[in-house]
Amino acid sequence: MGRILLLETSTRMLSVALAQDGKVLAERVCDEPRQQASLTAPLVKEVMDAAGVSLRDCDAVAVSSGPGSYTGLRVGVSTAKGLAFGANLPLISVCTLDILCQQAMNLGAQQHKGSGVIVPMIDARRMEVYTAVYSPAGERLTPIEAVVVSADSFAAQLAAGPVLFIGDGALKCREVIGHPNARFVEAYPMASDMTPLAEAAFQAGRFEDLAYFEPFYLKDFVATVSRKSILP
């Protein structure tokens, strides 16, 4: 069993946790947007202090790998790689959608009842989301892709039975998906929900190359210029 530092920075919600033997020892969460760059490292220290351990007492560092916010992923992965390199620890990556799916399964009978598929959704722009379809047991059934949601989206899954849409992109889809089998839960991927996924990767020895690992952005970063900064 491992003691693993967990970093989740892929959306507006920043969280850091420390888990041992599959149980969360300490966690810190920041729900203020765009704080990854300034608060990830301080939250790591807070978690370590709360648990009474140092980074060198850990067995691995795990980080959400995407898809998600370009900046958030870049900060999280850079921080995780730096911590892992400095303490000579292996690096574990966990897909952001897998984390949301794990969160859905953790909700259990109260929300999903295990009777249909799970569709985690990371908010992109307008009506676009990063998503994939998962079985009730957490098996990914379709490729991860960027989808522009319409009234016809996920028609086959909805016709087959209940579908749980979960994530920060779920509620905006409620506006266009009106099927009675659709259920919507607004949620953010959390470091604590990474625990079983990171533990499984640790036990299987699924580690990333510290020198070459990059986040899974899914789409290329598109820089925009604020209109306020453009001189007349």
Side-chain angles (χ1 to χ4, degrees):
M1 296 293 184
R3 180 184 290 158
I4 305 174
L5 176 65
L6 309 157
L7 309 181
E8 212 306 306
T9 63
S10 65
T11 66
R12 70 180 297 277
M13 187 82 74
L14 164 65
S15 58
V16 176
L18 182 69
Q20 182 173 350
D21 300 340
K23 297 181 179 180
V24 176
L25 301 179
E27 183 178 26
R28 293 293 184 271
V29 177
C30 174
D31 61 0
E32 296 182 20
R34 296 181 294 277
Q35 295 300 310
Q36 286 90 342
S38 60
L39 290 183
T40 301
L43 290 189
V44 168
K45 184 178 186 306
E46 287 188 21
V47 164
M48 290 297 177
D49 290 346
V53 300
S54 71
L55 189 60
R56 294 190 182 278
D57 296 319
C58 295
D59 297 299
V61 177
V63 65
S64 55
S65 61
S69 159
Y70 182 92
T71 301
L73 291 172
R74 183 179 60 191
V75 170
V77 169
S78 296
T79 303
K81 290 173 71 171
L83 293 170
F85 180 79
N88 194 29
L89 299 175
L91 178 68
I92 295 168
S93 69
V94 182
C95 171
T96 309
L97 295 177
D98 290 358
I99 300 170
L100 278 173
C101 181
Q102 182 65 47
Q103 189 176 136
M105 292 189 293
N106 291 345
L107 290 175
Q110 293 182 354
Q111 294 288 352
H112 190 51
K113 300 181 181 179
S115 57
V117 298
I118 301 167
V119 181
M121 291 179 159
I122 297 293
D123 190 17
R125 295 184 177 183
R126 300 181 179 87
M127 289 307 299
E128 188 174 44
V129 296
Y130 303 135
T131 189
V133 177
Y134 290 72
S135 74
E139 177 187 2
R140 194 184 305 157
L141 303 176
T142 66
I144 297 172
E145 57 185 342
V147 173
V148 177
V149 178
S150 70
D152 297 325
S153 297
F154 307 101
Q157 290 82 13
L158 288 163
V163 177
L164 177 64
F165 297 96
I166 184 170
D168 63 347
L171 288 194
K172 72 179 184 180
C173 295
R174 186 166 58 185
E175 302 171 8
V176 294
I177 300 177
H179 199 284
N181 280 337
R183 303 171 187 172
F184 301 89
V185 176
E186 183 179 26
Y188 295 90
M190 302 296 290
S192 56
D193 292 310
M194 296 171 62
T195 301
L197 303 169
E199 180 68 27
F202 179 79
Q203 295 301 327
R206 296 196 302 269
F207 305 129
E208 303 294 346
D209 188 309
L210 276 177
Y212 297 104
F213 176 71
E214 294 290 338
F216 176 42
Y217 295 119
L218 186 59
K219 296 176 64 177
D220 292 334
F221 175 66
V222 178
T224 58
V225 178
S226 171
R227 292 180 180 272
K228 295 180 180 179
S229 66
I230 300 176
L231 296 177

